[in-house]
Amino acid sequence: MTPEELRDAQQDIAVHGARKGDFVRLGDTDLVIRVENDDRETGNELQIGFGKNARDGMGMRSVRSSESCDVVITNVLVIDALLGIRVTSIGIRNGRISAIGRAGNPDTMNNIDVVVGSGSVIIPGEGLIATAGGIDTHVHAMTPRVCDSALSSGVTTVIAQEFGSFWGVGISSSWALQQGHNMFAHWPLNVGILGRAAGSTRDPLLEGLEGGVCGFKIHEDTGAHPRTLDTTLTFADEYDVAIALHTDGLNEMSSVADTLNVIGDRAVHAYHVEGCGGGHAPDVLTMAGRDNILASSTNPTLAYGINAADEHVAMIISAHGMNPELPSDVEIAHRRVRQATMAAENRLHDMGVIPVTSSDALGMGRADDTWRKTFAMASMFADHSILDGSVAPDEIAVSNERVLRHVAKITINPALVHGLSHEVGAIKVGLLADIVLWPYASFASKPNMVIKGGLPAYGVVGDPGATVSNAQPLVIGPQFGAYGASAQELGVHFSNGLSQVVVAGRRSVPVQNTRTVRGSDMVRHGILGEVQVDPTGHTVTFNDQIVSSDAITHSPLTRTFLI
Amino acid sequence: MELTPSEQDRLLIFTAAQLAQSRRARGVKLNAPEATALIAHAVIEAARDGASHAQALVAGQTAVTETELLPGVGSLLTGIAVEGVFDDGRRLVVVDFASTDTNIPGEVIRLEVAPQVSTAKTIDIIVRNESTIGISVTTHMHFFEVNPRLKFDRAAAYGMRLHIPAGEHVDFPPGQDVSVELEAIGGNRVLIGFAGLVDGPLDAPGAKEQALAKAREWGYLDGGQS
């Protein structure tokens, strides 16, 4: 391009954002995507503002929202595991996505998919990336502020195991659960609570269902015995709820092979499958790659870094009620920390073997770090030539598939694993409009706006007394959707078919299809095979090939953006 | 002190700027929030020292230097809005740091020229502003129904709009002839509202004649054959 054409292009990008064929670098990572599609018609892009075309009769049709939409996010670069990478507009009606495609007034513009009414709320998306809201399936809600932390990072659905600074690891008291659901209704957040599957009999499990849990947690700290495992899985099959499993790290009653034997071909969500977060040492990672085992990672081991191992011993002792003065506690904590399985876990993510990432917030993970860590990990395996200038721009190795795979890990796949995909997990017509808007420059690190059920619930807000809304100090904080009765109404309580719980102002939705979901259903994953860990924990193979990765010294999305 | 919410926010800037300042003093390269805090702080303190708006802007622009920043940070320091308390009251200052860093987070790379207007067929018409003030017309305005004081071939402009990138406009200075390109309005070609000359389907039988008659009746200047 000539200098003049280049200037025009920069101006066009500043106004309209990326167009089809453009390359976009995500944040400060090495991930470069290429825009696959653009639903806009050149010259008919809908634009808001002074002298723009989103005006009555021009780009907006004078009809009620029932014939147009309540809210429209215009001209945004969608990165969605199902929809792909495309510039489009998203129409929202009654809190759900009602249409996706070209936005405007069909009376004056060609082939309009999203009819914009004269009264529609417009959220301009130029220069922003839209993803589905993050789904964090592993949250220890030890402090209420964990909900703020999650929302501020682009997480809109949380599967929690507590609601207070107490020993929970799943709650099955129906009285306590009713209180818990009431408490969570304070935030514009979808919340499901896991019951504690620590009983060898069905009665405590039934009580949990009556109390409105969305699944159960089996944890070695409350008993991950073969009997508990079998009772809970049989029960789950009857009532269609998900089972999250933290296996027996001591190998006290069973080794990993025995656990797999008890599970049989029943679906299980294997939490922190690498093992540092807990589970059969040193070989719990061998659970990954099987069709009925839906494996996930927690975020401290992701983007495997040079300090990963060093932070973990103290973390384990602190999170699991252990005593650093007790040599036997220190010794078993050390057994859980293995660099080789961490290095392998990251590679298995890139290969599409491990389909889900989560936080393990306040229980060995960070509530607001899952998007960041997931994409820092994706960047580890990207072509690094973009930054050193060693290749011409048109030879840039495009990371579209890798990026879509990593988006799937924190959106659609956890939704499928926990039976939430009829409500959340993708930018798809019919689903809740839980959408995160990210600047290109800080994608996956700091969102610009978190839209919950169609309205801004969290996001960048500034000096409230200023003339403009973006005056410093900008903070990521509550938006109007986080206040009043709307906070209750915009979120959903994920529940089950036997629940007796009523949460004032909030819809309860049973989870679905948790028992039939398989690893091969995992979007942009589904790579099955045999993971083996040698008895020392020093070597990991997948289908007999060694899998590993190099620890990174600098994590993208982090130093540039965090004070 | 009776601090307002807005004043309390100043303290957040101050705290972040102090932290950034101490890090800079140790030789640590600054990241985006650190550099932003120093820029906002510099504007606020310049205002407090009695600087003019222009002087405070310069204070913000020069609060950090490229060599003090981590790679990739310079391009993030744009559109930093901050309100200082100047001698004549509170004023908004928006600072853009002039970065030369080629490491640009979120960079969009375009290899080929992308068209910005449609490929529709166009016509040229000459428009004269017969009024004493400037008139501007935007892309999706039905050109037939623009300000009555613009004189041009109204019939030729029926069902047409300006052929320019969406969201831009053309200025018609008083007493001047301006040549513009028009393209046909797309979609169902139904115009509701505007100045009320059509208020229905453009291509319905008799619609154009009716609209022209109305325009004449309402005093719209028309440079076309009548």
Side-chain angles (χ1 to χ4, degrees), chain A residues 153-383:
Chain A
S153 74
V155 167
T156 52
T157 300
V158 156
I159 304 296
Q161 297 171 43
E162 296 85 5
F163 32 86
S165 185
F166 51 65
W167 188 247
V169 207
I171 305 288
S172 291
S173 154
S174 58
W175 172 82
L177 282 165
Q178 174 70 65
Q179 305 311 316
H181 295 306
N182 293 348
M183 295 168 193
F184 279 123
H186 180 75
W187 287 272
L189 194 60
N190 307 318
V191 180
I193 303 177
L194 295 179
R196 188 191 295 166
S200 298
T201 61
R202 295 162 61 94
D203 233 21
L205 302 176
L206 261 178
E207 185 183 352
L209 287 189
E210 289 157 10
V213 299
C214 66
F216 289 94
K217 170 78 176 281
I218 301 173
H219 192 296
E220 62 173 326
D221 292 359
T222 62
H225 314 151
R227 169 78 180 276
T228 306
L229 192 51
D230 186 53
T231 305
T232 309
L233 284 169
T234 305
F235 187 84
D237 278 350
E238 258 174 74
Y239 295 107
D240 189 7
V241 288
I243 300 304
L245 174 62
H246 170 141
T247 55
D248 179 359
L250 300 172
N251 304 310
E252 183 181 24
M253 267 186 242
S254 50
S255 295
V256 68
D258 307 316
T259 294
L260 287 166
N261 202 30
V262 173
I263 294 169
D265 64 358
R266 295 178 287 193
V268 153
H269 177 184
Y271 268 3
H272 39 65
V273 74
E274 182 275 327
C276 187
H280 294 293
D283 51 3
V284 64
L285 187 58
T286 57
M287 294 180 75
R290 293 161 195 266
D291 205 16
N292 64 313
I293 309 280
L294 307 151
S296 69
S297 294
T298 48
N299 62 33
T301 54
L302 301 186
Y304 168 53
I306 52 170
N307 294 309
D310 284 345
E311 81 161 332
H312 270 94
V313 174
M315 198 196 300
I316 290 166
I317 288 171
S318 178
H320 288 273
M322 299 160 87
N323 190 333
E325 303 298 318
L326 208 57
S328 80
D329 276 8
V330 174
E331 199 245 310
I332 57 171
H334 271 284
R335 258 187 258 157
R336 273 165 64 164
V337 183
R338 299 169 299 271
Q339 307 218 17
T341 47
M342 291 181 190
E345 173 191 38
N346 281 247
R347 179 67 69 179
L348 290 170
H349 268 288
D350 194 59
M351 291 164 67
V353 178
I354 303 176
V356 174
T357 55
S358 64
S359 70
D360 202 352
L362 302 172
M364 289 191 63
R366 298 177 176 91
D368 62 358
D369 221 16
T370 309
W371 277 101
R372 189 176 292 119
K373 291 292 211 162
T374 301
F375 281 88
M377 173 171 68
S379 184
M380 286 169 71
F381 302 104
D383 188 330

Side-chain angles (χ1 to χ4, degrees), chain A residues 14 27 29 37 126 192 195 199 213 283 329 342 368 394 396 434 438 443 453 464-465 480 497 524:
Chain A
T29 69
N37 286 293
E126 291 91 349
V213 299
D283 51 3
D329 276 8
M342 291 181 190
D368 62 358
D394 56 348
I396 291 168
D434 294 354
W438 312 85
F443 176 74
F480 276 95
R524 298 186 191 264

Side-chain angles (χ1 to χ4, degrees), chain A residues 12 44 55 463 467 563, chain B residues 6 10 23 83 110 138 140:
Chain A
D12 183 57
N44 269 320
R55 286 187 280 161
D463 175 355
T467 50
I563 201 161
Chain B
S6 191
R10 300 305 134 99
R23 287 176 177 175
E83 296 217 330
R110 179 172 293 174
T138 60
H140 284 68

Side-chain angles (χ1 to χ4, degrees), chain A residues 1 5 8-9 11-13 16-19 21-28 34 42-45 47 51-53 55-58 61-62 106-110 386-387 393-394 396 440-441 446 462-468 470-473 475 559-563, chain B residues 5-6 9-10 12-13 16 19 23 31-34 36 40 70-73 76 79-83 90 92 103-118 138-141 161 164-168 183 185-194:
Chain A
M1 279 197 246
E5 286 171 337
D8 284 354
Q11 185 186 307
D12 183 57
I13 291 162
H16 296 290
R19 293 185 187 267
D22 287 347
F23 299 89
V24 182
R25 179 183 175 202
L26 300 182
D28 64 344
R34 190 162 201 189
T42 299
N44 269 320
E45 300 90 345
Q47 295 215 292
K52 305 303 176 189
N53 60 11
R55 286 187 280 161
D56 179 46
M58 300 179 186
R61 197 184 216 178
S62 186
D107 288 339
T108 60
M109 295 165 165
N110 301 319
I386 171 76
L387 290 184
D394 56 348
I396 291 168
Y440 298 167
K446 289 197 169 173
D463 175 355
T467 50
V468 293
N470 65 332
Q472 297 290 341
V475 299
R559 177 64 75 218
T560 306
F561 300 104
L562 298 182
I563 201 161
Chain B
S6 191
D9 272 16
R10 300 305 134 99
L12 205 53
I13 294 175
L19 177 64
R23 287 176 177 175
N31 67 16
E34 291 158 355
T36 303
L70 278 171
V73 168
L76 303 176
I80 298 172
V82 60
E83 296 217 330
R90 288 155 70 186
L92 173 71
N103 180 340
I104 300 172
E107 183 177 19
V108 178
I109 303 159
R110 179 172 293 174
L111 300 180
E112 283 158 22
V113 176
Q116 292 171 36
V117 290
S118 74
T138 60
T139 46
H140 284 68
M141 176 63 201
R161 67 172 186 83
I164 54 174
E168 296 190 9
E183 64 172 82
I185 287 171
N188 304 329
R189 292 176 53 79
V190 177
L191 296 188
I192 304 296
F194 293 89

